[in-house]
Amino acid sequence: MRDPGLSVARGVITDTIRLAALEVPGVLRVGRSGFRLRQLLGGSPVRAQIRDGRVHVLLWLVARPQQPLVPLTSQVRGAVAAAVERLLGLELGDVTVHVDGVGA
């Protein structure tokens, strides 16, 4: 349960989400694939919005080759949920994972 006197900066939330996703073995990197300009124009690969006291996450990542994507995204959702709820003490709304590519 969150301490009512505690506030967590958005940067701390997004960094925690990024690090949690990177701990999943099949994740090559958190970010978008493709040309550098596309990556820059796409904005941050981790977006966290707080609505109605819950954290809603959008996350873009590049998977390692030969990774089954459905189990990978499930593992990433679980890692992000654990980090947001246990480490930050915040309620999670949802986690949307976009696999934007497979890298080497």
Side-chain angles (χ1 to χ4, degrees), residues 7-93:
S7 64
V8 180
R10 186 177 310 273
V12 172
I13 296 170
T14 57
D15 284 348
T16 301
I17 292 166
R18 182 179 57 78
L19 292 171
L22 286 171
E23 287 183 3
V24 176
V27 174
L28 180 64
R29 72 176 181 271
V30 173
R32 292 176 173 82
S33 66
F35 297 107
R36 184 93 172 127
L37 181 60
R38 179 177 178 262
Q39 294 172 9
L40 292 172
L41 293 176
S44 175
V46 179
R47 296 186 186 162
Q49 293 182 337
I50 301 173
R51 293 189 314 262
D52 301 322
R54 293 176 185 247
V55 180
H56 301 270
V57 177
L58 289 171
L59 173 69
W60 284 262
L61 60 85
V62 176
R64 293 189 183 280
Q66 301 180 1
Q67 291 296 310
L69 298 181
V70 172
L72 176 65
T73 57
S74 180
Q75 291 173 357
V76 169
R77 281 189 199 99
V80 168
V84 168
E85 292 173 347
R86 286 190 229 148
L87 295 177
L88 300 176
L90 301 172
E91 282 190 56
L92 186 67

